[in-house]
Amino acid sequence: MANTLKRMERDGLVVSQRDLSDGRRREIRLTEHGRSLRSPALRIAAEQNTYMLSGLTKEEQAEILTLVTKIIRSVERSAISEKEARADRASSHRADGETR
């Protein structure tokens, strides 16, 4: 992901800056140029989805959508759990440092 973001920044699609409230984090924002590509990118993605699903029945398309949605939700839950675990570890490390 880091390499993709670097290329997007190099190509003028995003800007990256340190988060003012937490210097360890970076804020990534689309540039005007990046925003201008949103509509064409969504159109192309929709065309590709139609092409890729064209060999499936409507029932199969619905089934794959259900399965992909489950996968996305699982990944999101895992990401949230990992983020919470990192926050807990950081909090624990800070607390340990305060007692020493």
PDB file of all heavy atoms in Angstrom, residues 49-68:
ATOM      1  N   ASN A  49     -16.905  -4.688 -13.910  1.00  0.00           N
ATOM      2  CA  ASN A  49     -17.742  -5.575 -13.095  1.00  0.00           C
ATOM      3  C   ASN A  49     -18.792  -6.259 -13.972  1.00  0.00           C
ATOM      4  O   ASN A  49     -19.018  -7.467 -13.858  1.00  0.00           O
ATOM      5  CB  ASN A  49     -18.416  -4.798 -11.964  1.00  0.00           C
ATOM      6  CG  ASN A  49     -17.444  -4.407 -10.885  1.00  0.00           C
ATOM      7  OD1 ASN A  49     -16.350  -4.947 -10.772  1.00  0.00           O
ATOM      8  ND2 ASN A  49     -17.841  -3.440 -10.074  1.00  0.00           N
ATOM      9  N   THR A  50     -19.436  -5.483 -14.835  1.00  0.00           N
ATOM     10  CA  THR A  50     -20.448  -6.045 -15.737  1.00  0.00           C
ATOM     11  C   THR A  50     -19.834  -7.121 -16.621  1.00  0.00           C
ATOM     12  O   THR A  50     -20.394  -8.213 -16.781  1.00  0.00           O
ATOM     13  CB  THR A  50     -21.083  -4.927 -16.599  1.00  0.00           C
ATOM     14  OG1 THR A  50     -21.700  -3.985 -15.728  1.00  0.00           O
ATOM     15  CG2 THR A  50     -22.089  -5.486 -17.578  1.00  0.00           C
ATOM     16  N   TYR A  51     -18.659  -6.831 -17.170  1.00  0.00           N
ATOM     17  CA  TYR A  51     -17.970  -7.790 -18.035  1.00  0.00           C
ATOM     18  C   TYR A  51     -17.621  -9.064 -17.267  1.00  0.00           C
ATOM     19  O   TYR A  51     -17.873 -10.174 -17.744  1.00  0.00           O
ATOM     20  CB  TYR A  51     -16.709  -7.141 -18.620  1.00  0.00           C
ATOM     21  CG  TYR A  51     -15.832  -8.108 -19.360  1.00  0.00           C
ATOM     22  CD1 TYR A  51     -16.207  -8.577 -20.618  1.00  0.00           C
ATOM     23  CD2 TYR A  51     -14.643  -8.560 -18.812  1.00  0.00           C
ATOM     24  CE1 TYR A  51     -15.412  -9.479 -21.309  1.00  0.00           C
ATOM     25  CE2 TYR A  51     -13.847  -9.459 -19.483  1.00  0.00           C
ATOM     26  CZ  TYR A  51     -14.229  -9.922 -20.730  1.00  0.00           C
ATOM     27  OH  TYR A  51     -13.448 -10.817 -21.406  1.00  0.00           O
ATOM     28  N   MET A  52     -17.051  -8.906 -16.064  1.00  0.00           N
ATOM     29  CA  MET A  52     -16.611 -10.077 -15.304  1.00  0.00           C
ATOM     30  C   MET A  52     -17.776 -10.943 -14.835  1.00  0.00           C
ATOM     31  O   MET A  52     -17.638 -12.155 -14.712  1.00  0.00           O
ATOM     32  CB  MET A  52     -15.768  -9.643 -14.104  1.00  0.00           C
ATOM     33  CG  MET A  52     -14.409  -9.094 -14.500  1.00  0.00           C
ATOM     34  SD  MET A  52     -13.369  -8.707 -13.090  1.00  0.00           S
ATOM     35  CE  MET A  52     -14.226  -7.314 -12.396  1.00  0.00           C
ATOM     36  N   LEU A  53     -18.916 -10.325 -14.571  1.00  0.00           N
ATOM     37  CA  LEU A  53     -20.071 -11.070 -14.070  1.00  0.00           C
ATOM     38  C   LEU A  53     -20.986 -11.566 -15.190  1.00  0.00           C
ATOM     39  O   LEU A  53     -21.935 -12.312 -14.927  1.00  0.00           O
ATOM     40  CB  LEU A  53     -20.868 -10.195 -13.102  1.00  0.00           C
ATOM     41  CG  LEU A  53     -20.140  -9.780 -11.831  1.00  0.00           C
ATOM     42  CD1 LEU A  53     -20.973  -8.783 -11.037  1.00  0.00           C
ATOM     43  CD2 LEU A  53     -19.784 -10.985 -10.979  1.00  0.00           C
ATOM     44  N   SER A  54     -20.687 -11.208 -16.431  1.00  0.00           N
ATOM     45  CA  SER A  54     -21.597 -11.508 -17.538  1.00  0.00           C
ATOM     46  C   SER A  54     -21.808 -13.004 -17.759  1.00  0.00           C
ATOM     47  O   SER A  54     -22.848 -13.403 -18.280  1.00  0.00           O
ATOM     48  CB  SER A  54     -21.107 -10.849 -18.828  1.00  0.00           C
ATOM     49  OG  SER A  54     -19.856 -11.396 -19.219  1.00  0.00           O
ATOM     50  N   GLY A  55     -20.878 -13.823 -17.372  1.00  0.00           N
ATOM     51  CA  GLY A  55     -21.026 -15.273 -17.548  1.00  0.00           C
ATOM     52  C   GLY A  55     -21.801 -15.950 -16.432  1.00  0.00           C
ATOM     53  O   GLY A  55     -21.999 -17.169 -16.468  1.00  0.00           O
ATOM     54  N   LEU A  56     -22.236 -15.172 -15.446  1.00  0.00           N
ATOM     55  CA  LEU A  56     -22.972 -15.742 -14.312  1.00  0.00           C
ATOM     56  C   LEU A  56     -24.455 -15.443 -14.442  1.00  0.00           C
ATOM     57  O   LEU A  56     -24.844 -14.413 -14.992  1.00  0.00           O
ATOM     58  CB  LEU A  56     -22.454 -15.135 -12.998  1.00  0.00           C
ATOM     59  CG  LEU A  56     -20.972 -15.304 -12.689  1.00  0.00           C
ATOM     60  CD1 LEU A  56     -20.632 -14.574 -11.396  1.00  0.00           C
ATOM     61  CD2 LEU A  56     -20.595 -16.767 -12.593  1.00  0.00           C
ATOM     62  N   THR A  57     -25.260 -16.333 -13.866  1.00  0.00           N
ATOM     63  CA  THR A  57     -26.694 -16.066 -13.807  1.00  0.00           C
ATOM     64  C   THR A  57     -26.937 -14.969 -12.776  1.00  0.00           C
ATOM     65  O   THR A  57     -26.052 -14.648 -11.967  1.00  0.00           O
ATOM     66  CB  THR A  57     -27.472 -17.321 -13.380  1.00  0.00           C
ATOM     67  OG1 THR A  57     -27.112 -17.637 -12.024  1.00  0.00           O
ATOM     68  CG2 THR A  57     -27.202 -18.498 -14.299  1.00  0.00           C
ATOM     69  N   LYS A  58     -28.149 -14.410 -12.789  1.00  0.00           N
ATOM     70  CA  LYS A  58     -28.508 -13.390 -11.789  1.00  0.00           C
ATOM     71  C   LYS A  58     -28.367 -13.957 -10.378  1.00  0.00           C
ATOM     72  O   LYS A  58     -27.906 -13.272  -9.463  1.00  0.00           O
ATOM     73  CB  LYS A  58     -29.934 -12.874 -12.008  1.00  0.00           C
ATOM     74  CG  LYS A  58     -30.108 -12.097 -13.291  1.00  0.00           C
ATOM     75  CD  LYS A  58     -29.307 -10.808 -13.271  1.00  0.00           C
ATOM     76  CE  LYS A  58     -29.497 -10.034 -14.557  1.00  0.00           C
ATOM     77  NZ  LYS A  58     -28.554  -8.935 -14.681  1.00  0.00           N
ATOM     78  N   GLU A  59     -28.738 -15.209 -10.189  1.00  0.00           N
ATOM     79  CA  GLU A  59     -28.619 -15.843  -8.874  1.00  0.00           C
ATOM     80  C   GLU A  59     -27.155 -15.969  -8.464  1.00  0.00           C
ATOM     81  O   GLU A  59     -26.800 -15.717  -7.314  1.00  0.00           O
ATOM     82  CB  GLU A  59     -29.296 -17.223  -8.872  1.00  0.00           C
ATOM     83  CG  GLU A  59     -30.797 -17.180  -9.035  1.00  0.00           C
ATOM     84  CD  GLU A  59     -31.246 -16.992 -10.502  1.00  0.00           C
ATOM     85  OE1 GLU A  59     -30.434 -17.183 -11.433  1.00  0.00           O
ATOM     86  OE2 GLU A  59     -32.418 -16.614 -10.696  1.00  0.00           O
ATOM     87  N   GLU A  60     -26.302 -16.370  -9.399  1.00  0.00           N
ATOM     88  CA  GLU A  60     -24.872 -16.490  -9.105  1.00  0.00           C
ATOM     89  C   GLU A  60     -24.261 -15.121  -8.802  1.00  0.00           C
ATOM     90  O   GLU A  60     -23.408 -14.996  -7.922  1.00  0.00           O
ATOM     91  CB  GLU A  60     -24.147 -17.158 -10.278  1.00  0.00           C
ATOM     92  CG  GLU A  60     -24.490 -18.625 -10.436  1.00  0.00           C
ATOM     93  CD  GLU A  60     -23.995 -19.207 -11.744  1.00  0.00           C
ATOM     94  OE1 GLU A  60     -23.888 -18.456 -12.753  1.00  0.00           O
ATOM     95  OE2 GLU A  60     -23.722 -20.412 -11.774  1.00  0.00           O
ATOM     96  N   GLN A  61     -24.699 -14.103  -9.547  1.00  0.00           N
ATOM     97  CA  GLN A  61     -24.214 -12.751  -9.285  1.00  0.00           C
ATOM     98  C   GLN A  61     -24.598 -12.307  -7.880  1.00  0.00           C
ATOM     99  O   GLN A  61     -23.781 -11.733  -7.161  1.00  0.00           O
ATOM    100  CB  GLN A  61     -24.772 -11.772 -10.325  1.00  0.00           C
ATOM    101  CG  GLN A  61     -24.182 -11.962 -11.704  1.00  0.00           C
ATOM    102  CD  GLN A  61     -24.757 -11.018 -12.730  1.00  0.00           C
ATOM    103  OE1 GLN A  61     -25.306  -9.975 -12.404  1.00  0.00           O
ATOM    104  NE2 GLN A  61     -24.626 -11.379 -14.002  1.00  0.00           N
ATOM    105  N   ALA A  62     -25.829 -12.588  -7.482  1.00  0.00           N
ATOM    106  CA  ALA A  62     -26.272 -12.232  -6.133  1.00  0.00           C
ATOM    107  C   ALA A  62     -25.468 -12.985  -5.084  1.00  0.00           C
ATOM    108  O   ALA A  62     -25.076 -12.426  -4.063  1.00  0.00           O
ATOM    109  CB  ALA A  62     -27.769 -12.515  -5.970  1.00  0.00           C
ATOM    110  N   GLU A  63     -25.192 -14.256  -5.351  1.00  0.00           N
ATOM    111  CA  GLU A  63     -24.420 -15.071  -4.406  1.00  0.00           C
ATOM    112  C   GLU A  63     -22.994 -14.541  -4.259  1.00  0.00           C
ATOM    113  O   GLU A  63     -22.489 -14.418  -3.142  1.00  0.00           O
ATOM    114  CB  GLU A  63     -24.388 -16.528  -4.876  1.00  0.00           C
ATOM    115  CG  GLU A  63     -23.683 -17.454  -3.911  1.00  0.00           C
ATOM    116  CD  GLU A  63     -23.725 -18.908  -4.370  1.00  0.00           C
ATOM    117  OE1 GLU A  63     -24.443 -19.229  -5.343  1.00  0.00           O
ATOM    118  OE2 GLU A  63     -23.025 -19.719  -3.743  1.00  0.00           O
ATOM    119  N   ILE A  64     -22.361 -14.206  -5.361  1.00  0.00           N
ATOM    120  CA  ILE A  64     -20.985 -13.703  -5.267  1.00  0.00           C
ATOM    121  C   ILE A  64     -20.952 -12.361  -4.559  1.00  0.00           C
ATOM    122  O   ILE A  64     -20.039 -12.084  -3.774  1.00  0.00           O
ATOM    123  CB  ILE A  64     -20.277 -13.665  -6.636  1.00  0.00           C
ATOM    124  CG1 ILE A  64     -18.760 -13.594  -6.430  1.00  0.00           C
ATOM    125  CG2 ILE A  64     -20.741 -12.519  -7.487  1.00  0.00           C
ATOM    126  CD1 ILE A  64     -17.964 -13.932  -7.656  1.00  0.00           C
ATOM    127  N   LEU A  65     -21.967 -11.518  -4.800  1.00  0.00           N
ATOM    128  CA  LEU A  65     -22.039 -10.236  -4.101  1.00  0.00           C
ATOM    129  C   LEU A  65     -22.165 -10.461  -2.598  1.00  0.00           C
ATOM    130  O   LEU A  65     -21.487  -9.797  -1.804  1.00  0.00           O
ATOM    131  CB  LEU A  65     -23.208  -9.409  -4.625  1.00  0.00           C
ATOM    132  CG  LEU A  65     -23.421  -8.062  -3.937  1.00  0.00           C
ATOM    133  CD1 LEU A  65     -22.194  -7.170  -4.076  1.00  0.00           C
ATOM    134  CD2 LEU A  65     -24.651  -7.366  -4.503  1.00  0.00           C
ATOM    135  N   THR A  66     -22.980 -11.415  -2.207  1.00  0.00           N
ATOM    136  CA  THR A  66     -23.140 -11.744  -0.789  1.00  0.00           C
ATOM    137  C   THR A  66     -21.825 -12.219  -0.196  1.00  0.00           C
ATOM    138  O   THR A  66     -21.418 -11.779   0.891  1.00  0.00           O
ATOM    139  CB  THR A  66     -24.225 -12.833  -0.603  1.00  0.00           C
ATOM    140  OG1 THR A  66     -25.471 -12.313  -1.071  1.00  0.00           O
ATOM    141  CG2 THR A  66     -24.358 -13.250   0.846  1.00  0.00           C
ATOM    142  N   LEU A  67     -21.130 -13.101  -0.894  1.00  0.00           N
ATOM    143  CA  LEU A  67     -19.860 -13.635  -0.386  1.00  0.00           C
ATOM    144  C   LEU A  67     -18.782 -12.556  -0.310  1.00  0.00           C
ATOM    145  O   LEU A  67     -18.060 -12.474   0.696  1.00  0.00           O
ATOM    146  CB  LEU A  67     -19.389 -14.796  -1.270  1.00  0.00           C
ATOM    147  CG  LEU A  67     -20.270 -16.042  -1.237  1.00  0.00           C
ATOM    148  CD1 LEU A  67     -19.815 -17.043  -2.290  1.00  0.00           C
ATOM    149  CD2 LEU A  67     -20.269 -16.663   0.148  1.00  0.00           C
ATOM    150  N   VAL A  68     -18.684 -11.729  -1.321  1.00  0.00           N
ATOM    151  CA  VAL A  68     -17.679 -10.656  -1.307  1.00  0.00           C
ATOM    152  C   VAL A  68     -17.985  -9.672  -0.181  1.00  0.00           C
ATOM    153  O   VAL A  68     -17.073  -9.202   0.507  1.00  0.00           O
ATOM    154  CB  VAL A  68     -17.588  -9.961  -2.686  1.00  0.00           C
ATOM    155  CG1 VAL A  68     -16.759  -8.693  -2.607  1.00  0.00           C
ATOM    156  CG2 VAL A  68     -17.012 -10.920  -3.710  1.00  0.00           C
TER     157      VAL A  68
END
